[in-house]
Amino acid sequence: MKKNAGIPKKFNKVNLIVGLIYREELFLKKALSELEALFGRVDFESDTFQFDVTDYYNREMGEGLKRKFFSFENLVDPEELPSIKIKTNEIEDILKREAKSSGRVVNIDPGILTPTSLIMATTKNYSHRIPLKDGIYAHLEFLIGRNSIKYLDWTYLDMRKEEYANFFLKVRKIYLEKLKKLKKEII
């Protein structure tokens, strides 16, 4: 019998990713300021993409939506994802009230990037989503390898864009460097 068999190990820290859907640059900047106050400095950001694969948010947020992704310098414990999602929902509500809008002015989607996957947090249940805590589910968006991404049947259409893949592959490289540095600090 193996020594320590069946004893759980602590999870490795993961890279926090946040995707924002917005129309007005002002609310992107305000949301980002709140996010950095909570989670620390952004270490890499995507280009701005047109969010035009679906009109799902148009009724609530208007037309001409954009999407941008941010990677945060500080690594997080994966168990924090539900509380992070709850905090980002609170930011959405604060900005909605500030704008005196009937709908959200920014949609904030937090997720965690591991060496092999991107997992996003959601409040919407579905057959392939895993309940985590406090009404928050894990949505395995896609699998990620050294130089490629493997999309799943349920990967959102916009998340299949090549420009998005390029961003996530770069973030994976940054994340792996952070892990190496972290291991050196522990030794």
Side-chain angles (χ1 to χ4, degrees), residues 66-79:
K66 294 170 242 166
R67 168 98 107 164
K68 193 163 182 133
F69 294 97
F70 297 90
S71 164
F72 287 82
E73 182 177 60
N74 297 331
L75 299 179
V76 298
D77 290 317
E79 304 93 19

Side-chain angles (χ1 to χ4, degrees), residues 56-97:
Y56 181 82
Y57 295 104
N58 288 9
R59 187 171 179 176
E60 178 184 10
M61 299 175 69
E63 295 183 13
L65 297 175
K66 294 170 242 166
R67 168 98 107 164
K68 193 163 182 133
F69 294 97
F70 297 90
S71 164
F72 287 82
E73 182 177 60
N74 297 331
L75 299 179
V76 298
D77 290 317
E79 304 93 19
E80 293 179 51
L81 188 57
S83 64
I84 291 170
K85 178 61 175 170
I86 290 167
K87 289 175 187 173
T88 61
N89 285 357
E90 290 169 358
I91 294 170
E92 289 177 354
D93 288 341
I94 289 167
L95 294 177
K96 175 183 165 180
R97 286 193 306 271

